[in-house]
Amino acid sequence: MIIVLKPLSNQSTIDRLTRRLEELGMKPHVIVGVERTVIAATGKEQEGTQAELEGDTDVEKVLPILAPYKIASRETRKEPTVVQTGSLTIGGGTIGVIAGPCSVEGEAEILEIARLVKAAGATALRGGAFKPRTSPYAFQGMKERGLELLAAAREATGLAVVTEVMTPHHVELVARYADVLQIGARNMQNYHLLQAVGEQRKPVLLKRGPSATIEEFLLAAEYILDQGNLQVILCERGIRTFETHTRFTLPLATVPYLREKTHLPIVVDPSHGTGIASLVPSMSAASVACGADGLIIEVHQNPAKAVSDAAQTLNPAQFEATLATCRKVATALGKSM
Ligand code: PEP
Ligand code: MN
């Protein structure tokens, strides 16, 4: 349920109500809005709880949350959630651009591409140090050394770092180096991993599983939010369909649909979504046109030599041209990029 507090409620009121909700066996999540504060209470509701809260002098009203995802729902928070960390802002009219190679490949390579994507307009650097590969024989990433190199690239360029974490055991390690923790598509329903990134306080970029419904996607986000981490970025990266002309099928209606259902910012990954570099510029512009709050794009100084996902990777000039088009679309929509 959502407990809407009267305007100008103070901290001692919030503390008193959250303590009471805990006594009643519920989990309170305080959501501070521009106009008023609400407390989203999750967990099993006892008989009489609603009536008690409705009678409280500091409570304006108590509403049920109809959606299965509670904290992620628009019902809980009307204003968009904006995620801001270092150079990266996503949401609330600002389009974030996360770019870089699929995998961190070496020191010189990551420093060079970080400088190139920054010059082209990226606002964050991506690069996998722990790589979830379909084959166990494929390159698995540079692991901790890769994280160190990402941190060095941030030091050199000022770009915030987005990188994947694959297991709960590595959350603390990855969080030490990264600004945003990426949960890969293959791990969208790894509930222990979702809880582990929910327990730490860095933002999380959650990729949609290739066969997950939107409801499953939002419930996965809810696992993170329920642990108290409200900085979740949703990422549409394409789903598996009968179609084979592209690597995945990129369903852009996801963006305006999610916008109606959730306050969380929404990013599109046209690189994995298509698997084909020549399609990435158009689908990036289309993503901005349908309201995406950000893009995550694979860029490499020499895509043909990229150790992973070469076929979908742009070179820096193609990336720069893509952003120039996207910026025109963003301007037409009154957004900044
Ligand atoms: C990636 O971003 O390189 C990646 C592995 O993406 P996904 O989890 O969407 O396949
Ligand atoms: Mn990739």
Short mmCIF file of all heavy atoms in Angstrom, two decimals, residues 255-310:
data_model
loop_
_atom_site.label_atom_id
_atom_site.label_comp_id
_atom_site.label_asym_id
_atom_site.label_seq_id
_atom_site.Cartn_x
_atom_site.Cartn_y
_atom_site.Cartn_z
N VAL A 255 9.52 1.12 -24.76
CA VAL A 255 9.91 2.39 -24.10
C VAL A 255 8.68 3.19 -23.66
O VAL A 255 8.53 3.48 -22.47
CB VAL A 255 10.87 3.21 -24.99
CG1 VAL A 255 11.21 4.55 -24.35
CG2 VAL A 255 12.14 2.40 -25.28
N PRO A 256 7.75 3.54 -24.59
CA PRO A 256 6.58 4.29 -24.11
C PRO A 256 5.68 3.47 -23.19
O PRO A 256 5.02 4.03 -22.30
CB PRO A 256 5.84 4.69 -25.40
CG PRO A 256 6.39 3.81 -26.46
CD PRO A 256 7.78 3.43 -26.05
N TYR A 257 5.69 2.14 -23.36
CA TYR A 257 4.87 1.30 -22.48
C TYR A 257 5.42 1.34 -21.05
O TYR A 257 4.68 1.57 -20.09
CB TYR A 257 4.83 -0.14 -23.00
CG TYR A 257 3.93 -1.01 -22.17
CD1 TYR A 257 2.54 -1.00 -22.35
CD2 TYR A 257 4.45 -1.81 -21.14
CE1 TYR A 257 1.70 -1.76 -21.56
CE2 TYR A 257 3.62 -2.59 -20.35
CZ TYR A 257 2.24 -2.55 -20.56
OH TYR A 257 1.42 -3.31 -19.76
N LEU A 258 6.74 1.15 -20.93
CA LEU A 258 7.36 1.24 -19.60
C LEU A 258 7.15 2.61 -18.99
O LEU A 258 6.93 2.74 -17.78
CB LEU A 258 8.86 0.94 -19.68
CG LEU A 258 9.26 -0.53 -19.78
CD1 LEU A 258 10.75 -0.66 -20.08
CD2 LEU A 258 8.91 -1.28 -18.49
N ARG A 259 7.21 3.64 -19.82
CA ARG A 259 7.02 5.01 -19.34
C ARG A 259 5.68 5.15 -18.60
O ARG A 259 5.57 5.85 -17.61
CB ARG A 259 7.09 5.98 -20.52
CG ARG A 259 6.92 7.43 -20.16
CD ARG A 259 8.18 8.06 -19.60
NE ARG A 259 9.24 8.06 -20.57
CZ ARG A 259 10.52 7.84 -20.26
NH1 ARG A 259 10.90 7.63 -19.03
NH2 ARG A 259 11.44 7.85 -21.19
N GLU A 260 4.66 4.46 -19.13
CA GLU A 260 3.33 4.53 -18.49
C GLU A 260 3.31 3.77 -17.17
O GLU A 260 2.57 4.11 -16.26
CB GLU A 260 2.26 3.93 -19.41
CG GLU A 260 1.97 4.79 -20.63
CD GLU A 260 0.91 4.15 -21.53
OE1 GLU A 260 0.31 3.12 -21.16
OE2 GLU A 260 0.69 4.71 -22.62
N LYS A 261 4.10 2.69 -17.10
CA LYS A 261 4.00 1.79 -15.95
C LYS A 261 4.95 2.12 -14.81
O LYS A 261 4.73 1.71 -13.68
CB LYS A 261 4.28 0.34 -16.39
CG LYS A 261 3.33 -0.17 -17.45
CD LYS A 261 1.94 -0.32 -16.88
CE LYS A 261 0.93 -0.61 -17.97
NZ LYS A 261 -0.44 -0.42 -17.51
N THR A 262 6.08 2.78 -15.14
CA THR A 262 7.12 2.97 -14.12
C THR A 262 7.74 4.36 -14.20
O THR A 262 7.74 4.99 -15.26
CB THR A 262 8.23 1.89 -14.26
OG1 THR A 262 9.21 2.11 -13.24
CG2 THR A 262 8.91 1.93 -15.61
N HIS A 263 8.28 4.79 -13.06
CA HIS A 263 8.99 6.07 -12.98
C HIS A 263 10.48 5.88 -13.27
O HIS A 263 11.24 6.85 -13.30
CB HIS A 263 8.81 6.67 -11.58
CG HIS A 263 9.15 5.70 -10.47
ND1 HIS A 263 10.43 5.52 -10.02
CD2 HIS A 263 8.38 4.81 -9.79
CE1 HIS A 263 10.43 4.58 -9.08
NE2 HIS A 263 9.21 4.13 -8.92
N LEU A 264 10.93 4.63 -13.44
CA LEU A 264 12.37 4.38 -13.61
C LEU A 264 12.83 4.81 -15.01
O LEU A 264 12.07 4.71 -15.98
CB LEU A 264 12.67 2.88 -13.42
CG LEU A 264 12.37 2.32 -12.03
CD1 LEU A 264 12.57 0.81 -12.03
CD2 LEU A 264 13.26 2.97 -10.97
N PRO A 265 14.06 5.31 -15.14
CA PRO A 265 14.55 5.69 -16.47
C PRO A 265 14.79 4.48 -17.37
O PRO A 265 15.09 3.38 -16.89
CB PRO A 265 15.87 6.42 -16.16
CG PRO A 265 16.28 5.99 -14.81
CD PRO A 265 15.04 5.57 -14.07
N ILE A 266 14.66 4.72 -18.67
CA ILE A 266 14.70 3.62 -19.66
C ILE A 266 15.77 3.91 -20.71
O ILE A 266 15.78 4.97 -21.34
CB ILE A 266 13.32 3.50 -20.35
CG1 ILE A 266 12.21 3.36 -19.31
CG2 ILE A 266 13.31 2.33 -21.32
CD1 ILE A 266 10.89 3.98 -19.74
N VAL A 267 16.65 2.94 -20.88
CA VAL A 267 17.75 3.04 -21.84
C VAL A 267 17.55 1.97 -22.90
O VAL A 267 16.97 0.93 -22.62
CB VAL A 267 19.08 2.83 -21.05
CG1 VAL A 267 20.22 2.45 -21.94
CG2 VAL A 267 19.40 4.07 -20.23
N VAL A 268 18.02 2.25 -24.12
CA VAL A 268 17.95 1.24 -25.18
C VAL A 268 19.37 0.87 -25.62
O VAL A 268 20.24 1.72 -25.70
CB VAL A 268 17.12 1.73 -26.39
CG1 VAL A 268 17.13 0.70 -27.52
CG2 VAL A 268 15.68 2.03 -25.98
N ASP A 269 19.56 -0.42 -25.90
CA ASP A 269 20.83 -0.94 -26.42
C ASP A 269 20.60 -1.42 -27.85
O ASP A 269 20.20 -2.56 -28.07
CB ASP A 269 21.29 -2.10 -25.52
CG ASP A 269 22.57 -2.76 -26.01
OD1 ASP A 269 22.96 -2.54 -27.17
OD2 ASP A 269 23.17 -3.53 -25.23
N PRO A 270 20.83 -0.52 -28.83
CA PRO A 270 20.60 -0.92 -30.22
C PRO A 270 21.70 -1.83 -30.76
O PRO A 270 21.53 -2.44 -31.82
CB PRO A 270 20.56 0.41 -30.98
CG PRO A 270 21.37 1.34 -30.14
CD PRO A 270 21.27 0.88 -28.72
N SER A 271 22.81 -1.95 -30.05
CA SER A 271 23.91 -2.82 -30.51
C SER A 271 23.52 -4.28 -30.35
O SER A 271 23.49 -5.04 -31.33
CB SER A 271 25.19 -2.51 -29.73
OG SER A 271 25.52 -1.14 -29.80
N HIS A 272 23.19 -4.68 -29.11
CA HIS A 272 22.75 -6.06 -28.91
C HIS A 272 21.36 -6.27 -29.51
O HIS A 272 21.04 -7.38 -29.95
CB HIS A 272 22.76 -6.42 -27.42
CG HIS A 272 24.15 -6.47 -26.86
ND1 HIS A 272 24.79 -5.35 -26.40
CD2 HIS A 272 25.04 -7.48 -26.74
CE1 HIS A 272 26.02 -5.67 -26.02
NE2 HIS A 272 26.19 -6.96 -26.20
N GLY A 273 20.56 -5.22 -29.54
CA GLY A 273 19.20 -5.32 -30.06
C GLY A 273 19.12 -5.70 -31.53
O GLY A 273 18.15 -6.31 -31.97
N THR A 274 20.16 -5.32 -32.30
CA THR A 274 20.16 -5.65 -33.73
C THR A 274 21.28 -6.63 -34.08
O THR A 274 21.10 -7.47 -34.97
CB THR A 274 20.37 -4.39 -34.60
OG1 THR A 274 21.64 -3.83 -34.29
CG2 THR A 274 19.27 -3.35 -34.34
N GLY A 275 22.44 -6.47 -33.45
CA GLY A 275 23.58 -7.32 -33.77
C GLY A 275 24.28 -6.93 -35.06
O GLY A 275 25.21 -7.60 -35.50
N ILE A 276 23.81 -5.84 -35.70
CA ILE A 276 24.34 -5.44 -37.01
C ILE A 276 24.69 -3.94 -36.95
O ILE A 276 23.80 -3.09 -36.76
CB ILE A 276 23.30 -5.70 -38.12
CG1 ILE A 276 22.91 -7.18 -38.14
CG2 ILE A 276 23.82 -5.24 -39.48
CD1 ILE A 276 21.74 -7.51 -39.06
N ALA A 277 25.97 -3.63 -37.13
CA ALA A 277 26.43 -2.25 -36.95
C ALA A 277 25.67 -1.25 -37.83
O ALA A 277 25.34 -0.15 -37.39
CB ALA A 277 27.94 -2.16 -37.22
N SER A 278 25.37 -1.65 -39.07
CA SER A 278 24.74 -0.69 -39.99
C SER A 278 23.33 -0.29 -39.54
O SER A 278 22.81 0.73 -39.98
CB SER A 278 24.69 -1.26 -41.41
OG SER A 278 23.83 -2.39 -41.43
N LEU A 279 22.72 -1.09 -38.69
CA LEU A 279 21.36 -0.78 -38.21
C LEU A 279 21.37 0.07 -36.95
O LEU A 279 20.34 0.60 -36.54
CB LEU A 279 20.59 -2.08 -37.93
CG LEU A 279 20.49 -3.08 -39.09
CD1 LEU A 279 19.65 -4.29 -38.69
CD2 LEU A 279 19.89 -2.41 -40.33
N VAL A 280 22.53 0.18 -36.32
CA VAL A 280 22.60 0.86 -35.02
C VAL A 280 22.28 2.36 -35.10
O VAL A 280 21.52 2.87 -34.27
CB VAL A 280 23.97 0.58 -34.34
CG1 VAL A 280 24.18 1.45 -33.10
CG2 VAL A 280 24.07 -0.91 -33.97
N PRO A 281 22.79 3.10 -36.12
CA PRO A 281 22.47 4.54 -36.15
C PRO A 281 20.96 4.81 -36.21
O PRO A 281 20.45 5.63 -35.43
CB PRO A 281 23.20 5.02 -37.41
CG PRO A 281 24.35 4.07 -37.54
CD PRO A 281 23.80 2.74 -37.13
N SER A 282 20.25 4.14 -37.11
CA SER A 282 18.80 4.38 -37.23
C SER A 282 18.06 3.99 -35.97
O SER A 282 17.14 4.69 -35.52
CB SER A 282 18.21 3.58 -38.39
OG SER A 282 18.91 3.84 -39.55
N MET A 283 18.43 2.85 -35.39
CA MET A 283 17.70 2.40 -34.21
C MET A 283 18.04 3.25 -32.98
O MET A 283 17.22 3.36 -32.05
CB MET A 283 17.96 0.90 -33.94
CG MET A 283 17.44 -0.02 -35.03
SD MET A 283 15.75 0.36 -35.58
CE MET A 283 14.80 -0.20 -34.19
N SER A 284 19.21 3.88 -32.99
CA SER A 284 19.54 4.82 -31.90
C SER A 284 18.62 6.04 -32.00
O SER A 284 18.03 6.47 -31.00
CB SER A 284 21.00 5.29 -32.02
OG SER A 284 21.87 4.19 -31.91
N ALA A 285 18.48 6.58 -33.22
CA ALA A 285 17.62 7.75 -33.41
C ALA A 285 16.17 7.39 -33.08
O ALA A 285 15.46 8.18 -32.44
CB ALA A 285 17.73 8.25 -34.85
N ALA A 286 15.76 6.20 -33.49
CA ALA A 286 14.38 5.76 -33.21
C ALA A 286 14.17 5.62 -31.70
O ALA A 286 13.08 5.92 -31.19
CB ALA A 286 14.10 4.43 -33.91
N SER A 287 15.20 5.18 -30.98
CA SER A 287 15.09 5.03 -29.53
C SER A 287 14.87 6.38 -28.87
O SER A 287 14.03 6.53 -27.98
CB SER A 287 16.37 4.38 -28.97
OG SER A 287 16.58 3.13 -29.56
N VAL A 288 15.62 7.36 -29.32
CA VAL A 288 15.44 8.71 -28.77
C VAL A 288 14.04 9.21 -29.14
O VAL A 288 13.33 9.79 -28.30
CB VAL A 288 16.54 9.67 -29.29
CG1 VAL A 288 16.29 11.10 -28.83
CG2 VAL A 288 17.91 9.20 -28.80
N ALA A 289 13.63 8.95 -30.38
CA ALA A 289 12.32 9.44 -30.84
C ALA A 289 11.17 8.86 -30.01
O ALA A 289 10.17 9.54 -29.78
CB ALA A 289 12.12 9.11 -32.32
N CYS A 290 11.31 7.61 -29.57
CA CYS A 290 10.20 7.01 -28.81
C CYS A 290 10.32 7.27 -27.31
O CYS A 290 9.54 6.75 -26.53
CB CYS A 290 10.05 5.52 -29.13
SG CYS A 290 11.37 4.52 -28.51
N GLY A 291 11.30 8.09 -26.93
CA GLY A 291 11.32 8.57 -25.55
C GLY A 291 12.37 7.98 -24.63
O GLY A 291 12.31 8.17 -23.42
N ALA A 292 13.36 7.26 -25.19
CA ALA A 292 14.40 6.67 -24.33
C ALA A 292 15.14 7.77 -23.56
O ALA A 292 15.35 8.87 -24.06
CB ALA A 292 15.38 5.86 -25.16
N ASP A 293 15.53 7.43 -22.34
CA ASP A 293 16.30 8.35 -21.49
C ASP A 293 17.79 8.19 -21.70
O ASP A 293 18.58 8.95 -21.11
CB ASP A 293 15.99 8.10 -20.01
CG ASP A 293 14.53 8.30 -19.70
OD1 ASP A 293 14.04 9.43 -19.90
OD2 ASP A 293 13.86 7.33 -19.27
N GLY A 294 18.17 7.17 -22.49
CA GLY A 294 19.59 6.96 -22.69
C GLY A 294 19.83 5.87 -23.72
O GLY A 294 18.91 5.15 -24.12
N LEU A 295 21.09 5.80 -24.15
CA LEU A 295 21.52 4.78 -25.11
C LEU A 295 22.75 4.10 -24.55
O LEU A 295 23.54 4.74 -23.86
CB LEU A 295 21.90 5.44 -26.44
CG LEU A 295 20.78 6.16 -27.21
CD1 LEU A 295 21.38 7.03 -28.30
CD2 LEU A 295 19.81 5.13 -27.80
N ILE A 296 22.90 2.81 -24.86
CA ILE A 296 24.17 2.14 -24.56
C ILE A 296 24.62 1.50 -25.87
O ILE A 296 23.89 0.70 -26.46
CB ILE A 296 24.07 1.16 -23.36
CG1 ILE A 296 25.39 0.43 -23.13
CG2 ILE A 296 22.90 0.20 -23.46
CD1 ILE A 296 25.51 -0.26 -21.77
N ILE A 297 25.78 1.94 -26.35
CA ILE A 297 26.21 1.60 -27.72
C ILE A 297 27.64 1.06 -27.68
O ILE A 297 28.52 1.64 -27.03
CB ILE A 297 26.15 2.85 -28.63
CG1 ILE A 297 24.70 3.40 -28.68
CG2 ILE A 297 26.66 2.54 -30.03
CD1 ILE A 297 24.53 4.65 -29.55
N GLU A 298 27.87 -0.04 -28.42
CA GLU A 298 29.22 -0.59 -28.50
C GLU A 298 30.03 0.12 -29.58
O GLU A 298 29.61 0.21 -30.74
CB GLU A 298 29.16 -2.11 -28.73
CG GLU A 298 28.67 -2.81 -27.45
CD GLU A 298 28.67 -4.32 -27.48
OE1 GLU A 298 28.67 -4.92 -28.57
OE2 GLU A 298 28.64 -4.90 -26.38
N VAL A 299 31.21 0.62 -29.14
CA VAL A 299 32.09 1.38 -30.03
C VAL A 299 33.53 0.88 -29.81
O VAL A 299 33.94 0.67 -28.66
CB VAL A 299 32.03 2.90 -29.72
CG1 VAL A 299 32.84 3.70 -30.75
CG2 VAL A 299 30.60 3.41 -29.67
N HIS A 300 34.27 0.71 -30.91
CA HIS A 300 35.65 0.21 -30.83
C HIS A 300 36.48 0.95 -31.88
O HIS A 300 35.95 1.28 -32.94
CB HIS A 300 35.63 -1.30 -31.12
CG HIS A 300 36.92 -2.01 -30.84
ND1 HIS A 300 38.00 -1.97 -31.69
CD2 HIS A 300 37.29 -2.79 -29.78
CE1 HIS A 300 38.98 -2.71 -31.18
NE2 HIS A 300 38.58 -3.21 -30.02
N GLN A 301 37.76 1.20 -31.56
CA GLN A 301 38.59 1.95 -32.51
C GLN A 301 38.77 1.20 -33.82
O GLN A 301 38.99 1.80 -34.85
CB GLN A 301 39.95 2.34 -31.91
CG GLN A 301 40.73 1.30 -31.16
CD GLN A 301 40.32 1.20 -29.70
OE1 GLN A 301 39.22 0.79 -29.39
NE2 GLN A 301 41.22 1.56 -28.80
N ASN A 302 38.65 -0.14 -33.75
CA ASN A 302 38.76 -0.95 -34.97
C ASN A 302 37.78 -2.13 -34.83
O ASN A 302 38.18 -3.22 -34.43
CB ASN A 302 40.21 -1.43 -35.12
CG ASN A 302 40.43 -2.20 -36.41
OD1 ASN A 302 39.47 -2.47 -37.16
ND2 ASN A 302 41.67 -2.56 -36.67
N PRO A 303 36.50 -1.89 -35.14
CA PRO A 303 35.48 -2.91 -34.86
C PRO A 303 35.83 -4.31 -35.39
O PRO A 303 35.55 -5.30 -34.72
CB PRO A 303 34.23 -2.36 -35.55
CG PRO A 303 34.41 -0.88 -35.51
CD PRO A 303 35.89 -0.66 -35.69
N ALA A 304 36.46 -4.38 -36.54
CA ALA A 304 36.78 -5.70 -37.12
C ALA A 304 37.69 -6.50 -36.19
O ALA A 304 37.69 -7.74 -36.21
CB ALA A 304 37.44 -5.53 -38.49
N LYS A 305 38.46 -5.80 -35.36
CA LYS A 305 39.40 -6.47 -34.45
C LYS A 305 38.84 -6.66 -33.03
O LYS A 305 39.54 -7.16 -32.15
CB LYS A 305 40.70 -5.64 -34.36
CG LYS A 305 41.52 -5.60 -35.63
CD LYS A 305 42.61 -6.67 -35.56
CE LYS A 305 43.31 -6.90 -36.90
NZ LYS A 305 44.09 -5.74 -37.33
N ALA A 306 37.61 -6.20 -32.80
CA ALA A 306 37.04 -6.31 -31.44
C ALA A 306 36.98 -7.78 -31.03
O ALA A 306 36.59 -8.64 -31.82
CB ALA A 306 35.64 -5.69 -31.41
N VAL A 307 37.36 -8.09 -29.79
CA VAL A 307 37.41 -9.49 -29.37
C VAL A 307 36.01 -10.07 -29.13
O VAL A 307 35.85 -11.29 -29.13
CB VAL A 307 38.30 -9.75 -28.12
CG1 VAL A 307 39.74 -9.33 -28.36
CG2 VAL A 307 37.75 -9.09 -26.88
N SER A 308 35.02 -9.22 -28.90
CA SER A 308 33.65 -9.73 -28.80
C SER A 308 32.69 -8.76 -29.46
O SER A 308 32.93 -7.55 -29.48
CB SER A 308 33.27 -9.99 -27.33
OG SER A 308 33.47 -8.84 -26.53
N ASP A 309 31.63 -9.30 -30.02
CA ASP A 309 30.55 -8.51 -30.65
C ASP A 309 31.01 -7.54 -31.74
O ASP A 309 30.45 -6.45 -31.91
CB ASP A 309 29.75 -7.76 -29.57
CG ASP A 309 28.86 -8.73 -28.77
OD1 ASP A 309 28.72 -9.89 -29.20
OD2 ASP A 309 28.32 -8.31 -27.73
N ALA A 310 32.01 -7.97 -32.54
CA ALA A 310 32.56 -7.13 -33.61
C ALA A 310 31.48 -6.68 -34.60
O ALA A 310 31.44 -5.52 -35.01
CB ALA A 310 33.66 -7.90 -34.34
#
